Amino acid sequence: MDMPPERFNFATFLIERNTARGERVAYRDDTRSLSYGALHDGIRRCAGLLRTAGLQREQRVLLLMHDNVDWPVAFLGALYAGVVPVAVNTLLTADDYAYMLQHSRAQAVLTSGALLPVLREALAKVGDASEVRQLWVSTPPPELRADETPFLAALDAAVPLAAPAETLADEAAFWLYSSGSTGRPKGTVHTHGNLWWTGELYGKPFLALRENDIVFSAAKLFFAYGLGNGLTFPLMAGATTVLMAERPTPAAVFKRLVEHKPTVFYGVPTLYAGMLASPELPARSQVALRVCTSAGEALPREIGERFTAHFGAEILDGIGSTEMLHIFLSNRAGEVHYGSTGKPVPGYELELRDEEGRPVAAGEVGDLFIKGPSAALMYWHNREKSRATYQGEWLKSGDKYSVDADGYYTYAGRSDDMLKVSGQYVSPFEVESALAQHTAVLEAAVIGVADAEGLTKTKAFVVLKAGTSASEDELKAFVKSRLTPHKYPRSIEFVPELPKTATGKIQRFKLREREAGKP
């Protein structure tokens, strides 16, 4: 396979690739659309704006923005200038942003008007330690402070950068913070070349995007999954991307599927479950889906089968990570095995290892290790975590899997979520999947709880579908009928919702903390 050249700037690569598509629509959000020509002009102007403001090569700019057409302009404009955008989750607290501002030493911030209050609070917490010298606001409110500048006005007045920064393929290009499902977020440093690799290894062969495709991702651009879905892959193909600023509720997703008729949709398991449970689920004739994807957590078999039966489109369930930037293990169109995460994406190598680092036998559960060209460089200022995750050419994912004789991988849970009950390992995901097959269950999470004698027992937290009911004994018997006896949950608690990250990953550690805090 070809490789990106040693001197490589991903923003420049996209501009050159789409020069002939100037009039085609690149992005469409809730209020505006942006042609490829306007995108390219915006990228150069943003780069000029950053440089004029005094930002130098490799300095960081915090990107705290809702998904709209300004987001790709800002992200790619920074890359074009050799400035490093730090794309952060829009659903965090002022304390989180204060930490990220200090940790990244951001010299500037690009934000959305709706996020100004929490950003101002974060900057106040940082105080004199802040290195921010410029703050630009997309979709600004009527009243701005003296040090806050409307982004579009500044962009219109900016002089386009005459030439892109001569960056290297292996040069630090951008950061993404891990989702924090297991603790404090880590600043994950990616290169210009990593974006290209995900497009070549996954985007092209698995999605086969074409110029006339319209894509829509429920996962936001600040996530590794969403960045590939809504920027890398469609721009490498010259396709059109629909962006949505609001939260991806089933109703909000249905609106875009029906109005904009995307041909490719990227979702997550909890969203697919919510969509199928909604009375507003559109008919197959109302949408134009040809393929869908899922990541974040393993997709339950029943959800995938029901979705395909209704819409006719397959869901390509896969797994990626912030550290690998996108999906490295996936089902492929026409070869989907629901209940499985598929086979390794060509270009990546996978190994399953036991606690001593030895390969496990076929069918046995092991820790998943990945080797591939899109791996991040490191966690910024975190040598201990970097060494634990980035082990030579291999990356330790933190997930447990088994692989069958046909090469299909099946998820067995996070390494720190696996339970040992009565001397035997139990995968929380396996129990959750069994519970999810019950007609009354919307979603479930399983953790280990110590009994009076200090022995681990499984406990399930269950969210029921609206208008349904089920008893604890009924669900226990249901699981017993599908799994080996020692795996059924010893206790079940019905809850209105489960704690999750913004990507939809269940935060079992919060359930464990809650149980530990009980008298």
Side-chain angles (χ1 to χ4, degrees):
M1 171 173 287
D2 292 338
M3 298 177 63
E6 181 181 1
R7 293 193 175 277
F8 180 76
N9 184 299
F10 188 71
T12 307
F13 165 76
L14 291 179
I15 290 173
E16 293 174 348
R17 192 179 188 90
N18 292 299
T19 299
R21 297 189 174 102
E23 299 302 315
R24 289 190 62 82
V25 175
Y27 284 98
R28 182 175 288 119
D29 66 19
D30 297 330
T31 60
R32 292 181 287 160
S33 63
L34 197 69
S35 68
Y36 272 93
L39 172 64
H40 300 163
D41 180 62
I43 290 169
R44 294 187 176 100
R45 288 181 179 276
C46 182
L49 181 64
L50 293 170
R51 287 295 189 87
T52 301
L55 272 80
Q56 303 298 312
R57 288 275 300 271
E58 300 185 12
Q59 288 186 322
R60 270 79 66 190
V61 54
L62 197 78
L63 196 60
L64 174 61
M65 297 172 66
H66 288 136
D67 281 18
N68 67 16
V69 298
D70 292 338
W71 204 106
V73 169
F75 182 84
L76 293 170
L79 264 58
Y80 194 82
V83 173
V84 177
V86 180
V88 298
N89 190 327
T90 59
L91 300 174
L92 303 180
T93 66
D95 285 335
D96 292 319
Y97 298 133
Y99 166 74
M100 292 171 176
L101 284 164
Q102 290 182 286
H103 183 248
S104 67
R105 296 177 183 164
Q107 303 292 303
V109 179
L110 280 152
T111 191
S112 295
L115 297 167
L116 258 182
V118 69
L119 177 63
R120 287 168 175 167
E121 185 181 348
L123 287 167
K125 288 177 179 289
V126 177
D128 292 339
S130 171
E131 298 186 35
V132 174
R133 65 180 77 171
Q134 184 68 55
L135 198 165
W136 293 286
V137 186
S138 169
T139 58
E143 298 295 329
L144 289 178
R145 296 175 180 175
D147 59 345
E148 298 166 349
T149 305
F151 179 58
L152 284 182
L155 202 64
D156 288 341
V159 177
L161 192 64
E166 292 191 10
T167 52
L168 303 175
D170 286 340
E171 184 171 326
F174 64 99
W175 296 13
L176 300 172
Y177 275 93
S178 62
S179 60
S181 60
T182 57
R184 174 165 257 179
K186 300 177 287 293
T188 310
V189 183
H190 278 285
T191 70
H192 284 267
N194 286 357
L195 293 160
W196 185 90
W197 280 114
T198 60
E200 288 293 318
L201 297 180
Y202 177 81
K204 283 185 179 181
F206 281 76
L207 302 176
L209 291 181
R210 302 177 294 267
E211 187 179 62
N212 60 350
D213 272 313
I214 300 172
V215 308
F216 173 49
S217 176
K220 301 301 185 180
L221 288 165
F222 58 76
F223 295 121
Y225 179 45
L227 184 63
N229 299 344
L231 189 144
T232 308
F233 306 154
L235 294 187
M236 286 180 70
T240 297
T241 301
V242 174
L243 297 177
M244 178 177 74
E246 65 183 292
R247 289 180 60 248
T249 62
V253 169
F254 295 154
K255 180 181 178 182
R256 275 74 185 183
L257 294 182
V258 172
E259 288 185 5
H260 296 293
K261 296 289 193 293
T263 53
V264 180
F265 174 65
Y266 314 90
V268 295
T270 51
L271 176 58
Y272 284 118
M275 290 167 65
L276 290 170
S278 172
E280 300 173 1
L281 184 71
R284 182 187 299 195
S285 60
Q286 294 177 275
V287 304
L289 297 173
R290 69 171 179 84
V291 67
C292 302
T293 70
S294 181
E297 287 194 309
L299 181 74
R301 179 193 303 273
E302 185 252 355
I303 296 299
E305 291 175 346
R306 285 176 56 207
F307 187 93
T308 298
H310 182 84
F311 286 113
E314 293 179 314
I315 300 176
L316 309 184
D317 185 29
I319 182 174
S321 67
T322 304
E323 293 78 7
M324 292 303 295
L325 191 55
H326 212 271
I327 291 170
F328 50 78
L329 173 65
S330 180
N331 282 275
R332 190 184 280 264
E335 303 174 13
V336 170
H337 284 220
Y338 285 127
S340 155
T341 317
K343 296 181 177 182
V345 171
Y348 294 92
E349 293 181 45
L350 273 61
E351 284 188 1
L352 298 180
R353 304 177 186 174
D354 63 18
E355 294 176 359
E356 281 73 44
R358 299 170 302 199
V360 302
E364 293 185 1
V365 172
D367 289 305
L368 179 66
F369 285 74
I370 313 104
K371 181 165 67 173
S374 64
L377 295 174
M378 61 179 164
Y379 297 129
W380 187 258
H381 287 181
N382 199 331
R383 182 175 176 83
E384 181 182 0
K385 291 285 188 182
S386 293
R387 292 179 69 176
T389 300
Y390 306 99
Q391 301 181 9
E393 293 185 284
W394 293 89
L395 184 142
K396 184 177 182 180
S397 71
D399 295 296
K400 284 187 177 288
Y401 268 86
S402 64
V403 59
D404 65 19
D406 295 323
Y408 283 88
Y409 283 70
T410 299
Y411 184 64
R414 291 287 296 173
S415 298
D416 51 4
D417 286 332
M418 289 291 287
L419 306 173
K420 208 164 194 179
V421 180
S422 302
Q424 301 178 74
Y425 277 112
V426 174
S427 162
F429 178 75
E430 186 179 16
V431 183
E432 292 161 5
S433 295
L435 284 164
Q437 293 173 35
H438 192 282
T439 55
V441 173
L442 178 62
E443 55 187 0
V446 173
I447 64 170
V449 177
D451 64 14
E453 298 177 339
L455 299 174
T456 298
K457 304 296 182 185
T458 48
K459 177 174 181 176
F461 296 82
V462 172
V463 180
L464 295 177
K465 296 176 182 175
T468 66
S469 63
S471 69
E472 183 174 359
D473 288 342
E474 178 185 351
L475 292 184
K476 285 180 179 179
F478 184 81
V479 174
K480 284 181 181 179
S481 71
R482 282 158 173 76
L483 302 178
T484 53
H486 75 280
K487 295 182 179 180
Y488 84 93
R490 300 312 196 267
S491 63
I492 296 176
E493 181 177 337
F494 295 98
V495 294
E497 61 182 2
L498 298 174
K500 298 171 187 169
T501 68
T503 55
K505 293 180 183 178
I506 296 170
Q507 294 175 307
R508 296 182 187 86
F509 76 94
K510 288 192 174 181
L511 296 173
R512 288 193 290 266
E513 289 172 353
R514 196 180 84 178
E515 288 299 303
K518 287 184 177 179

